[in-house]
Amino acid sequence: MRETAGEGDEAAAGHGSMGAGGVEPLRVLFARWCERGDLKALGLTLPAYLGFLGTDEDRMRLRSALHMVHAARWLPEGEQAVLQEVLGALAAS
């Protein structure tokens, strides 16, 4: 059975390979989206995040989901900027 990000520690879930600059800002964004009830952003990104194990395929899936949210431009300006930084960190890792 495949372990997901919601289970086990970060290293086992592969988030250590996401890049140091990507994990915490992404968690902050998820928290903001939860507070605001932004189900579109959460619905597009959480499945890819929770299934991320550090493979190239997982990284591409997460980047694609985050790019869709970024391209839609429905986030507040500050969150758009944070999301852009997360995308940069994912691209660099």
Side-chain angles (χ1 to χ4, degrees):
M1 177 181 272
R2 181 176 162 134
E3 186 174 316
T4 63
E7 304 166 356
D9 64 7
E10 232 177 70
H15 289 136
S17 64
M18 189 183 294
V23 176
E24 191 56 35
L26 191 52
R27 287 182 179 163
V28 169
L29 283 175
F30 286 144
R32 288 180 186 172
W33 298 343
C34 285
E35 287 173 11
R36 196 171 61 245
D38 191 337
L39 300 180
K40 291 187 295 185
L42 288 167
L44 279 171
T45 57
L46 274 178
Y49 176 77
L50 292 175
F52 187 90
L53 294 177
T55 67
D56 289 338
E57 197 173 286
D58 290 341
R59 182 174 288 103
M60 182 56 103
R61 183 174 175 229
L62 180 59
R63 285 181 63 197
S64 294
L66 293 171
H67 273 290
M68 284 190 272
V69 172
H70 188 265
R73 296 280 208 205
W74 67 65
L75 299 177
E77 189 175 315
E79 290 180 11
Q80 279 289 127
V82 172
L83 184 53
Q84 188 167 347
E85 291 174 19
V86 169
L87 287 166
L90 276 171
S93 62

